[in-house]
């Protein structure tokens, strides 16, 4: 019991520290990866709270695991993927054509697709957690939403990378990173 309280307080302090850092940024608009991180940390705190509740109510165990795995870990990984995959694709294109005028990474992400994916991932996580003890047909609904969000996020990541990897040069030649 004290362990869960300490874990929750530590996670809340880390989240608060992140929020302070975000407020002090020069650019006030959050990029897509930071929005994914914000959603992920929200699910992390919810997972800890549900784990704490599970010490009295065992039916909270599965929702806690759903929030931790689907909401915190997977959404965090996808958020980092926008930065990492985008940077690697940008770097490959820059190595191939050092003088190329490449779009900034923030402009290369298809935001409507990325944010739609995040909304589906969050709704799917919340649905999977809320319906975890409701029986198989209901559980599937949350997981289906999550799967749609994951597929959409994968599409957004692929589209991001392709903007740099398969593109046309200034003279109209099609090039791709080798």
């Amino acid at each position: 019991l004290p362990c869960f309280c300490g874990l929750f307080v530590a996670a809340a302090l880390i989240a608060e520290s992140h929020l302070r850092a975000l407020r002090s940024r020069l650019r006030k608009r959050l990029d897509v990866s930071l929005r994914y991180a914000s959603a992920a940390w929200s699910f992390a705190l919810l997972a800890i709270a549900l784990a704490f509740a599970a010490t009295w109510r065992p039916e909270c165990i599965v929702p806690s695991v759903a929030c931790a795995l689907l909401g915190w870990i997977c959404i965090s990984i996808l958020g980092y993927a926008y930065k990492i995959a985008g940077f690697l694709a940008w770097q490959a294109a820059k190595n191939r054509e050092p003088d190329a005028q490449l779009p900034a990474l923030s402009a290369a992400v298809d935001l409507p697709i990325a944010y739609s994916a995040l909304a589906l991932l969050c709704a799917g996580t919340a649905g999977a957690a809320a319906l975890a003890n409701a029986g198989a047909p209901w559980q599937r609904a949350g997981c289906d939403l999550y799967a749609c969000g994951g597929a959409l996020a994968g599409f957004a990541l692929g589209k991001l990378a392709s903007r740099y990897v398969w593109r046309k040069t200034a003279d109209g030649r099609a090039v791709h990173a080798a």
Side-chain angles (χ1 to χ4, degrees):
L1 207 57
C3 180
F4 284 120
C5 291
L7 183 61
F8 186 82
V9 168
L13 289 172
I14 291 169
E16 193 272 332
S17 171
H18 284 306
L19 287 173
R20 250 187 297 118
L22 290 175
R23 275 190 233 118
S24 68
R25 290 170 35 111
L26 294 177
R27 280 189 297 155
K28 295 301 178 190
R29 191 175 75 83
L30 296 180
D31 66 9
V32 68
S33 63
L34 292 175
R35 291 188 190 268
Y36 272 67
S38 298
W41 271 103
S42 299
F43 281 115
L45 291 171
L46 182 57
I48 294 167
L50 286 167
F52 179 68
T55 59
W56 291 287
R57 304 200 48 121
E59 64 271 12
C60 291
I61 293 171
V62 175
S64 173
V65 171
C67 286
L69 292 177
L70 299 176
W72 178 39
I73 295 173
C74 292
I75 291 176
S76 291
I77 290 169
L78 285 169
Y80 283 118
Y82 283 103
K83 287 231 186 257
I84 295 167
F87 173 75
L88 291 176
W90 181 90
Q91 188 66 45
K94 203 59 166 164
N95 287 343
R96 181 186 63 230
E97 291 182 82
D99 297 332
Q101 294 296 321
L102 300 174
L105 188 54
S106 61
V109 177
D110 191 324
L111 293 178
I113 294 174
Y115 290 146
S116 297
L118 179 59
L120 286 168
L121 291 166
C122 289
T125 300
L131 301 170
N133 299 312
W138 291 103
Q139 289 171 335
R140 216 170 288 127
C143 294
D144 288 347
L145 275 175
Y146 194 85
C148 289
L152 203 54
F155 176 72
L157 285 164
K159 192 172 179 182
L160 166 63
S162 71
R163 289 207 173 151
Y164 296 112
V165 177
W166 292 285
R167 55 185 260 344
K168 294 187 183 219
T169 61
D171 62 1
R173 291 180 301 125
V175 295
H176 71 281

